[in-house]
Amino acid sequence: MLHTQPISTLRRLLVSREISPADLLRSVESSIAATDPAIGAYLHRDFPAALAEAEKADLTQPLGGIPIGIKDIINVKDQPLTCGSKILAGKFTSPYDATVITRLRAAGAIPFGKLNMDEFAMGSSTENSALQITRNPVDPSRVPGGSSGGSAAAVAAGTAVATLGTDTGGSIRQPASFCGIVGLKPSYGRVSRFGCTAYASSLEQIGPMTRNVTDAALILQAIAGPDPADSTCRREPLPDFSKALSGGIKGLRLGLPEEYFGAGIDPEVRAAVEKAVRKLEQEGAEIHPVTLPHTSSAVATYYIIATAEASANLARFDGIRYGHRCENPENLLDLYNRSRAEGFGPEVKRRIILGTYVLSSGYYDAYYRKAWKVRYLIRQDFTRAFEKVDLILGPTCPTPAFKFGAHTSDPLQMYLADIYTIAANLAGLCGISLPCGRTAATPDTPALPIGLQLLAPPLAEPTLLRAAWGVEQILGEVDLV
Ligand code: GLN
């Protein structure tokens, strides 16, 4: 069961030569063969190429010999890239590595396969993938969350040691919470997006999805830091994140926003998080009430800014430069229209239409400009809260994983799944979701994972990781299916 061990254990075994990188890869390969047909997390994997890399793996590097699964929105040289969309599936092979992949390779890791996702990262359940369904390994009648649903399901099912996801409004933290694993969204600008297909450029970040906080810190260390190829990447030198994994929560000031425990929250989620808070208080954390008064505007603000940016970013899929091209176009306009109409799914079209509308003359001021003003108010809420506390703590999501189809007919209900995660992206914060117990099992539903979210100010990953590691010591590590 090598593939179910955390990276730190595997590294010990690799360095002492008790196992080889090839043994580990074969273990992952056989677990995928046994389990993934029922889960559907993987879109692609290339074990012959990975085994060739494993032969050369530099075990002196921090991730030497560790296979890592990649959300299929990130370019991995010579592997297909789909972004969960028909517009790219079968039509595009990445000609280069994204910066995060170059860095993973430099740290000795092996990016061996690609994971399913909502089309262009738009969604909260992976049901918007145009390619396949991904099931929650805890309860296959439920969604794994999204948009990084494949990345979360693979870690939870034990078919990946660790994965990369992306988080624009919650897409790392929400699926981590639904599948009962650890998911870290770095601060805006901490990790290069060069080679990651853009959805909403002022919001998204790439981050690790793992078995425990130590693994998340190891991967973050490898992928983060300034990158001349991405001008939005912060230039501050990278701290040593492993140093943060000590000290625990004693003396840390944790703020509980009243808005994250109010209407709409599932009673079991609330009870689990409140119970965790009591334990943390007993262990020496200081608990303070805080208020984030603009929380109720966060989802609306996000869906104006994110769709506006998506409408511009997705203009590159025009039937000429990348991906699907319609048959026998009558003229250039017909080629654009039909290639896009045939290639994009309904949610992507909805967002392109919405985004084009909020940017159009006459509506720009009423919607887009106003959304940016509200975005500053949301940021200010956090700045004020962080004057009193070191971190914000609450549930990651208002509910545990929901059933397939529960929200597909009502996009607004789907959008509300991100109510506690979205504001962190609008404010550029870093955040993490950690396992926080489960719901009570019933005769027809197994106990479902519940996620606890910690948020810290921009570039405060050391504080975030110190607290997350401390919480994990108290609440326990991921409990695999
Ligand atoms: N669920 C949100 C959306 O649909 C967030 C997605 C994400 O973080 N990529 O846009």
Side-chain angles (χ1 to χ4, degrees), residues 121-124 147 167-171 199 302-303 351 418:
M122 299 175 185
S124 307
S147 62
D167 190 312
T168 314
S171 281
Y199 155 27
Y302 171 87
Y303 277 95
R351 296 196 188 195
D418 300 316

Side-chain angles (χ1 to χ4, degrees), residues 129-190:
S129 167
L131 307 178
Q132 69 192 35
I133 283 182
T134 299
R135 298 183 180 279
N136 190 317
V138 182
D139 175 354
S141 70
R142 289 171 194 267
V143 302
S147 62
S148 314
S151 300
V155 174
T159 57
V161 172
T163 56
L164 292 187
T166 61
D167 190 312
T168 314
S171 281
I172 288 177
R173 291 161 287 155
Q174 186 257 20
S177 156
F178 278 16
C179 292
I181 63 160
V182 173
L184 187 151
K185 182 200 95 70
S187 311
Y188 187 74
R190 188 59 112 173

Side-chain angles (χ1 to χ4, degrees), residues 257-275:
E258 57 182 87
E259 295 81 1
Y260 286 20
F261 291 85
I265 188 171
D266 179 283
E268 281 189 282
V269 171
R270 183 188 180 142
V273 176
E274 286 176 348
K275 188 170 159 201

Side-chain angles (χ1 to χ4, degrees), residues 445-481:
T445 310
L448 300 171
I450 293 170
L452 176 148
Q453 176 174 238
L454 290 169
L455 298 174
L459 300 189
E461 277 89 355
T463 314
L464 183 76
L465 286 164
R466 172 185 162 189
W469 186 82
V471 170
E472 187 180 62
Q473 302 301 304
I474 295 163
L475 300 187
E477 281 193 15
V478 171
D479 154 27
L480 282 188
V481 216

